[in-house]
Amino acid sequence: EAGVAQSPRYKIIEKRQSVAFWCNPISGHATLYWYQQILGQGPKLLIQFQNNGVVDDSQLPKDRFSAERLKGVDSTLKIQPAKLEDSAVYLCASSKGTTNTGELFFGEGSRLTVL
Amino acid sequence: SQELEQSPQSLIVQEGKNLTINCTSSKTLYGLYWYKQKYGEGLIFLMMLQKGGEEKSHEKITAKLDEKKQQSSLHITASQPSHAGIYLCGADTMDSNYQLIWGAGTKLIIKP
């Protein structure tokens, strides 16, 4: 079974530029999560999708971050314009169920450096 | 302050020695999850605990949720280089609105 795929693995941009990250969850997983993990901290949930609907985006900085999962499969997270404090690893995870209890399957992450 | 506190922040252990990592919540835990992360990689699920007093093992790693369901400990017996990495606890609590909250992680280094 293929795992959660993320790309790109690494991205370096200058502040005020834009960037997009892509995630393809495990086949059949209804729920998809985007997390931001700043060095030395635990992951922070940015947005949770159930199929193609948003369950929780309360911590997504909507003035600069956007995410979509149009067909309920893969997802894109965009940052525009980027700030220095957006430097982090962006983790995508998926789960079979529709709640947060249970095992999450994580991708390897996309490491963003904003200069 | 963090809702989920992990201790220690980092740990250097001689290969073959035992070690314990703790995860303490300020709220009653509904579920406690242990994950392992290697540098530059995603998180790998280790185990989930839900009942007070519950104990689970995965190879040489054992985790327990205390009776009051506010603390979990993760114990590694006879540590090996493969155990090196960052151990993160995640939890859903009575206040987390079905979302997982995360500890900051414990960085484990195994000295050969």
Side-chain angles (χ1 to χ4, degrees):
Chain A
E1 179 180 72
V4 176
Q6 287 190 247
S7 67
R9 288 292 313 276
Y10 305 93
K11 190 75 177 179
I12 301 173
I13 61 173
E14 295 192 349
K15 60 183 179 183
R16 290 188 288 274
Q17 287 187 323
S18 62
V19 63
F21 302 113
W22 175 82
C23 172
N24 195 25
I26 292 174
S27 177
H29 279 196
T31 308
L32 185 148
Y33 312 79
W34 282 103
Y35 285 92
Q36 180 193 58
Q37 187 178 24
I38 292 172
L39 188 65
Q41 298 180 19
K44 170 189 160 186
L45 180 69
L46 293 175
I47 189 165
Q48 176 188 346
F49 292 97
Q50 182 177 314
N51 298 310
N52 60 352
V54 175
V55 174
D56 186 342
D57 64 356
S58 57
Q59 298 192 89
L60 186 74
K62 297 180 185 65
D63 57 335
R64 299 183 301 104
F65 286 64
S66 65
E68 58 184 17
R69 192 185 185 199
L70 293 175
K71 297 181 181 178
V73 181
D74 59 343
S75 175
T76 303
L77 175 72
K78 294 179 182 176
I79 307 174
Q80 182 179 14
K83 291 185 175 181
L84 296 176
E85 59 261 36
D86 297 334
S87 294
V89 177
Y90 291 86
L91 295 165
C92 178
S94 68
S95 64
K96 288 181 187 177
T98 54
T99 67
N100 284 309
T101 56
E103 181 178 355
L104 300 185
F105 295 81
F106 284 83
E108 291 185 317
S110 294
R111 182 176 297 275
L112 173 66
T113 302
V114 183
L115 303 175
Chain B
S1 65
Q2 287 260 36
E3 285 187 46
L4 213 53
E5 294 277 353
Q6 280 189 243
S7 62
Q9 285 187 316
S10 62
L11 195 52
I12 302 174
V13 171
Q14 191 74 41
E15 182 178 351
K17 297 294 185 184
N18 303 337
L19 63 108
T20 300
I21 296 168
N22 294 302
C23 177
T24 302
S25 172
S26 57
K27 311 284 184 186
T28 300
L29 298 166
Y30 287 158
L32 189 288
Y33 307 81
W34 284 102
Y35 284 78
K36 180 184 175 186
Q37 184 176 32
K38 291 203 166 181
Y39 182 78
E41 298 180 14
L43 282 67
I44 304 294
F45 175 80
L46 295 176
M47 57 195 94
M48 173 178 72
L49 304 163
Q50 291 185 299
K51 299 176 186 175
E54 185 176 12
E55 185 172 310
K56 286 189 178 178
S57 293
H58 172 76
E59 297 174 346
K60 292 189 176 179
I61 301 174
T62 301
K64 185 173 181 179
L65 185 60
D66 78 350
E67 294 287 345
K68 293 183 180 178
K69 294 180 68 175
Q70 287 199 264
Q71 185 177 44
S72 177
S73 57
L74 185 137
H75 184 76
I76 298 177
T77 304
S79 58
Q80 300 169 359
S82 60
H83 289 130
I86 299 171
Y87 289 82
L88 287 134
C89 63
D92 61 289
T93 73
M94 59 187 298
D95 283 354
S96 67
N97 196 30
Y98 303 105
Q99 295 299 341
L100 285 184
I101 57 172
W102 296 87
T106 294
K107 184 176 181 180
L108 173 62
I109 297 171
I110 306 294
K111 281 198 317 183

